[in-house]
Amino acid sequence: MRFRPPRIRAALYRVGRGLLARDTRDDQLQLLTTLALTPLYVMPLILFTLGAGLTPLLLLGLPLLPLSMKLANWIARLDRQRLFLLRDLDIDMPIAVSGNGWKERLERLFGRRAWRELGFTVVMSFWGLGVGGLMVSLLAAGLLLALLPLLGPLLPDGSSLLGMDVGSLAVAVSGGAVGLGLLAAGLWLGGPLARTESTLVARMLGANRVDHLVRRMTDLEDSRSRMVDAAELERQRIERDLHDGAQQRLLSVAMSLGRAKTRFDRDPDKARELMLAAHEEAKAAMQELRDVTRGLHPAILTEQGIEPALATIAARCPVSIDLSARMQERPSPRAEAVAYYVVSELLTNITKHAAADRATVRVFREEQLLRLTVTDDGIGGVDPARGSGIRGLRDRIRAVDGHLTFSSPAGGPTVVDVTLPWKA
């Protein structure tokens, strides 16, 4: 029979395991580094206050003002790096002013971002003193009381704590219990305080809504220019394919029908051969037209949705495709079109370049996202810098606020993961 510990013992085991977990240690380390950096947080405020106070006196404190701003900027960069190392938190930085003119330099030194960083050091100095002092007090007092049963016999007779005899067994045991409680409270409290500090740093140092909008506008301008270039290249390809293929076949059809027309009366057999040849050319021209228009927007995608359309692509692909598409309802037409194009392009690239025997395509809904994953067992080594394929796909996906990530180590496998808004 399996041994089941009592509820109290199991609860204590879970509490102890939680208090000694890695996340708890990271929380304590973050708060301890905050306390250690508190003197550094205070320095920009002290320098700025001295500079502002001494500047009216023959401008003696004027050099301290830019020095305080530069120090606040350096501390902000240090804090971003600290949270990245301790919490794996990558804070999106505000947009920096570019240029080397005196106006740009003055903006970088005393602009909105510089004042935010100075205010950040002020807030963090109070935060470090308050929170750091609280944590150190709790842990130090808890450790001292927890060790009281061991230290009590070693202390001189008559030693007291809050008017109570430390040598007393009851006082020592109760003090040890209170100490363990304070230690547990200090370790548990580190989690909420560390998360609050991370949120505070991200809000004060991270990019605001204006920065995000400016970055979004810049990305859209860049992707739009690349999309225009890609659309022009696609138009030229279609024009070339039509001119070299279907147009030549249709010209041959017209010539064959013209020759057959002149031979109807004097050579019916020859006219029949010419008409049969024209019929075959017409069928070949239709097939070439289908090949040209197949990648644009197939009718099956509009009429039946993404699942039958992807099944058609998988059936045509020379590589063995394992397709899974699980959706109870259809996403927006734009999301379907982008997903169809992405899967079509990825399978084409796999066929041409990956030397793969098998590929897997997964399409499913994840909350308000349409997610698709394409994996192949090819040679890998995909590098966006050596071709425009991945960059073109990323531009098309980002145009609808989607996101593309891929992994392609040398030797494979290559995994491409794409998320699109369900109502793009």
Side-chain angles (χ1 to χ4, degrees):
M1 181 176 179
R2 185 178 178 182
F3 174 73
R4 297 184 180 275
R7 293 183 179 180
I8 296 178
R9 187 185 303 173
L12 291 175
Y13 172 77
R14 287 194 298 270
V15 170
R17 184 176 180 181
L19 294 177
L20 298 177
R22 179 180 178 181
D23 290 342
T24 304
R25 297 197 302 270
D26 292 342
D27 295 336
Q28 306 303 321
L29 182 60
Q30 177 181 340
L31 295 175
L32 287 176
T33 55
T34 302
L35 180 62
L37 291 174
T38 298
L40 196 59
Y41 292 135
V42 179
M43 288 301 298
L45 178 60
I46 295 176
L47 290 176
F48 187 85
T49 304
L50 288 176
L54 294 177
T55 297
L57 302 175
L58 302 177
L59 304 180
L60 294 178
L62 190 61
L64 296 179
L65 298 179
L67 180 60
S68 64
M69 292 296 193
K70 292 295 291 183
L71 181 59
N73 175 261
W74 180 80
I75 293 173
R77 293 203 305 269
L78 176 65
D79 235 46
R80 290 189 187 96
Q81 190 65 25
R82 177 176 70 101
L83 288 185
F84 179 75
L85 294 175
L86 294 178
R87 315 295 303 187
D88 198 22
L89 178 62
D90 191 7
I91 299 176
D92 192 11
M93 295 181 62
I95 296 176
V97 178
S98 59
N100 293 319
W102 67 270
K103 290 184 178 180
E104 289 79 8
R105 294 183 180 183
L106 194 63
E107 175 67 21
R108 284 196 293 269
L109 198 58
F110 292 103
R112 178 173 53 88
R113 176 178 172 181
W115 286 107
R116 285 179 61 189
E117 291 170 343
L118 182 63
F120 164 76
T121 59
V122 175
V123 172
M124 288 302 295
S125 62
F126 287 105
W127 174 270
L129 289 173
V131 174
L134 174 64
M135 292 297 301
V136 170
S137 299
L138 280 176
L139 294 178
L143 182 62
L144 179 62
L145 291 175
L147 295 177
L148 192 60
L150 300 178
L151 298 177
L154 303 179
L155 296 175
D157 294 337
S159 299
S160 63
L161 179 67
L162 299 177
M164 296 180 291
D165 184 12
V166 176
S168 171
L169 179 62
V171 171
V173 172
S174 59
V178 172
L180 292 176
L182 290 177
L183 283 175
L187 293 174
W188 174 84
L189 194 59
L193 291 176
R195 289 191 293 271
T196 302
E197 179 185 320
S198 301
T199 304
L200 180 65
V201 174
R203 286 185 177 275
M204 296 197 69
L205 295 183
N208 56 21
R209 183 173 180 81
V210 174
D211 295 322
H212 284 300
L213 289 176
V214 171
R215 281 202 177 98
R216 173 66 176 155
M217 183 179 66
T218 304
D219 290 342
L220 287 177
E221 289 178 351
D222 294 340
S223 62
R224 183 181 63 180
S225 62
R226 290 192 295 267
M227 289 286 289
V228 170
D229 294 339
E232 178 62 21
L233 291 175
E234 185 70 8
R235 186 194 65 78
Q236 294 177 2
R237 182 191 68 81
I238 294 173
E239 181 181 2
R240 185 174 60 251
D241 291 345
L242 290 175
H243 179 271
D244 297 340
Q247 183 176 340
Q248 298 299 323
R249 290 190 180 277
L250 290 175
L251 180 61
S252 177
V253 169
M255 294 177 63
S256 297
L257 290 177
R259 293 168 59 190
K261 180 180 179 181
T262 61
R263 292 173 182 263
F264 263 125
D265 295 330
R266 56 189 177 86
D267 192 354
D269 293 335
K270 185 62 176 179
R272 186 178 297 108
E273 290 180 9
L274 291 172
M275 291 186 66
L276 290 175
H279 182 244
E280 294 299 324
E281 286 290 329
K283 291 195 295 184
M286 290 296 296
Q287 182 59 43
E288 289 193 1
L289 287 174
R290 291 192 191 97
D291 292 338
V292 171
T293 59
R294 180 175 290 159
L296 300 180
H297 196 93
I300 189 174
L301 180 63
T302 303
E303 297 170 359
Q304 302 183 35
I306 187 70
E307 299 177 38
L310 293 182
T312 303
I313 299 177
R316 289 199 315 262
C317 188
V319 179
S320 176
I321 304 297
D322 180 13
L323 174 65
S324 172
R326 306 187 307 274
M327 287 174 288
Q328 299 298 324
E329 58 178 313
R330 294 179 61 175
S332 67
R334 184 181 301 172
E336 283 189 332
V338 174
Y340 176 85
Y341 175 84
V342 169
V343 173
S344 178
E345 286 296 308
L346 289 175
L347 293 183
T348 299
N349 292 337
I350 289 172
T351 302
K352 291 181 179 179
H353 309 296
D357 298 322
R358 190 174 187 84
T360 302
V361 179
R362 296 283 182 267
V363 183
F364 54 94
R365 179 173 184 174
E366 189 175 82
E367 296 180 353
Q368 293 303 312
L369 297 175
L370 173 61
R371 186 165 184 175
L372 57 95
T373 305
V374 180
T375 308
D376 69 77
D377 60 355
I379 58 176
V382 177
D383 185 5
R386 294 185 302 180
S388 59
I390 291 294
R391 284 182 297 172
L393 289 177
R394 183 169 283 154
D395 288 339
R396 184 177 287 262
I397 291 166
R398 290 173 68 178
V400 294
D401 289 334
H403 187 64
L404 180 146
T405 58
F406 75 96
S407 171
S408 183
T414 297
V415 180
V416 180
D417 186 78
V418 177
T419 56
L420 301 169
W422 186 260
K423 298 296 182 181

